[in-house]
Amino acid sequence: MSVTDELLANNARYVETFTGPLPLPPAKRLAVVACMDARLNVYAILGLNEGEAHVIRNAGGVVTQDEIRSLAISQRLLGTEEIILIHHTDCGMLTFTDDAFKDSVQEDTGIRPPWAAEAFADLDTDVRQSIARIQADPFVVHKDRIRGFVFDVATGKLNEVH
Amino acid sequence: MSVTDELLANNARYVETFTGPLPLPPAKRLAVVACMDARLNVYAILGLNEGEAHVIRNAGGVVTQDEIRSLAISQRLLGTEEIILIHHTDCGMLTFTDDAFKDSVQEDTGIRPPWAAEAFADLDTDVRQSIARIQADPFVVHKDRIRGFVFDVATGKLNEVH
């Protein structure tokens, strides 16, 4: 049995107690941008319930063009107005550089990725970088309530980046 | 009190019962790509525990360059080998077209987004499109275990796309 088959059996149990459907627009008018890291259960970390916030996630929790796309749709079509960014300690993105990653991919495939890997050397600095990218973007509407955090994978605590 | 402040109070309670840290690489060697929709609590839907799978999310659960970046890092640096894609019923991406969205943004800001909004008219077709984009990409390594689903927001069930 593949992992996917095992998780589909979990889903069959989830269906038994499921109550829905909830409305489409996020009830708390919030969008969260977080790292894809497996240890970040965003709903649990923030005490979010289903239906309350958009959750956008990628390698690093960084803001690239696709997060701008998602945030623009979230705010313009679905009414969110507040943004939380979450990076975390012990992040994989701290363990390599863009150049080294691209060298390695080029060696393996013969093709150098035309995109940035978005590795970073400092968590707080990259949270600020992500916020700065949103602030500089012309398509995201609401920018007055954006706050960034580093989740501590050892304690579960969100530490704010100032 | 802002929504963020309210959620930080939830996080203080989360810390009280937190047990960590878990290892960095996802224990189930799985990456999930899902829509950012607030009703999709991916951990609950799949019965995932913290530390088991990367979770990548955006508007639509579509595969664009940034999801390729995340999947390439997930597989090449952190050992995942299996991919689950999740779109869902009642998705916001079904309610507009790229042209209409761009017209509206251009009218509001004076600037037409240079990126695709990635709206779609059919869920199953777009799940297949996202899988096809991964299959065609030179940087994602493991492509033999990719499965796509549509989550039913009325029942909680994952229905597989073939």
Side-chain angles (χ1 to χ4, degrees):
Chain A
M1 193 161 81
S2 72
V3 167
T4 301
D5 289 321
E6 176 194 330
L7 299 181
L8 289 176
N10 292 344
N11 179 248
R13 282 188 293 276
Y14 179 70
V15 168
E16 288 170 15
T17 57
F18 186 83
T19 53
L22 293 165
L24 171 53
K28 291 201 183 292
R29 297 179 174 276
L30 169 74
V32 180
V33 179
C35 184
M36 70 179 179
D37 189 280
R39 298 164 294 183
L40 271 64
N41 181 342
V42 172
Y43 285 70
I45 289 171
L46 293 171
L48 282 170
N49 295 309
E50 284 79 349
E52 294 187 334
H54 282 148
V55 181
I56 300 159
R57 301 182 62 174
N58 65 25
V62 301
V63 171
T64 73
Q65 183 177 283
D66 196 51
E67 287 64 52
I68 292 295
R69 177 185 71 86
S70 294
L71 288 170
I73 290 170
S74 175
Q75 294 195 346
R76 291 176 175 276
L77 301 182
L78 295 164
T80 69
E81 299 175 347
E82 197 163 339
I83 300 173
I84 290 178
L85 293 110
I86 304 178
H87 284 38
H88 64 94
T89 60
D90 193 36
C91 185
M93 307 299 284
L94 294 162
T95 65
F96 64 97
T97 64
D98 272 36
D99 283 346
F101 180 75
K102 291 190 181 199
D103 287 348
S104 149
V105 174
Q106 185 170 4
E107 195 167 326
D108 180 38
T109 67
I111 308 174
R112 194 168 184 86
W115 32 263
E118 298 286 348
F120 47 77
D122 182 79
L123 289 164
D124 286 23
T125 304
D126 200 73
V127 169
R128 288 188 207 102
Q129 172 66 214
S130 287
I131 292 174
R133 289 180 181 182
I134 298 172
Q135 293 290 2
D137 180 78
F139 307 118
V140 177
V141 182
H142 305 288
K143 303 178 177 182
D144 55 327
R145 279 177 288 162
I146 305 175
R147 289 166 69 182
F149 301 87
V150 174
F151 175 77
D152 186 329
V153 299
T155 68
K157 188 170 187 303
L158 288 169
N159 293 299
E160 188 154 12
V161 177
H162 296 285
Chain B
M1 192 162 80
S2 71
V3 167
T4 300
D5 289 320
E6 174 194 331
L7 300 181
L8 289 176
N10 292 344
N11 179 249
R13 281 189 292 278
Y14 179 70
V15 168
E16 288 170 14
T17 57
F18 186 82
T19 53
L22 293 166
L24 171 53
K28 290 200 182 293
R29 297 180 176 276
L30 169 73
V32 179
V33 179
C35 184
M36 69 179 179
D37 189 279
R39 298 164 293 184
L40 270 64
N41 182 339
V42 172
Y43 285 70
I45 289 170
L46 293 171
L48 282 169
N49 295 309
E50 283 79 350
E52 293 187 335
H54 281 149
V55 181
I56 300 158
R57 302 182 62 174
N58 65 24
V62 301
V63 171
T64 73
Q65 182 177 283
D66 196 52
E67 288 62 52
I68 292 297
R69 177 185 71 85
S70 295
L71 288 169
I73 290 170
S74 176
Q75 294 195 346
R76 290 178 175 275
L77 301 181
L78 294 163
T80 70
E81 298 175 348
E82 197 163 340
I83 300 173
I84 291 178
L85 294 110
I86 304 178
H87 284 37
H88 64 94
T89 59
D90 193 36
C91 186
M93 307 298 285
L94 294 162
T95 65
F96 63 96
T97 64
D98 272 37
D99 284 345
F101 180 75
K102 291 189 181 198
D103 287 348
S104 150
V105 173
Q106 185 170 3
E107 194 168 327
D108 180 38
T109 67
I111 308 174
R112 195 169 184 83
W115 32 263
E118 298 286 347
F120 46 78
D122 182 77
L123 289 164
D124 287 24
T125 303
D126 199 74
V127 169
R128 288 189 206 102
Q129 172 66 215
S130 287
I131 293 174
R133 289 180 182 182
I134 297 173
Q135 293 289 1
D137 180 79
F139 308 118
V140 178
V141 183
H142 306 286
K143 305 178 178 182
D144 55 327
R145 280 176 288 160
I146 305 174
R147 289 166 70 182
F149 300 87
V150 174
F151 175 76
D152 187 329
V153 299
T155 67
K157 189 171 188 302
L158 288 169
N159 293 299
E160 188 154 11
V161 176
H162 295 285

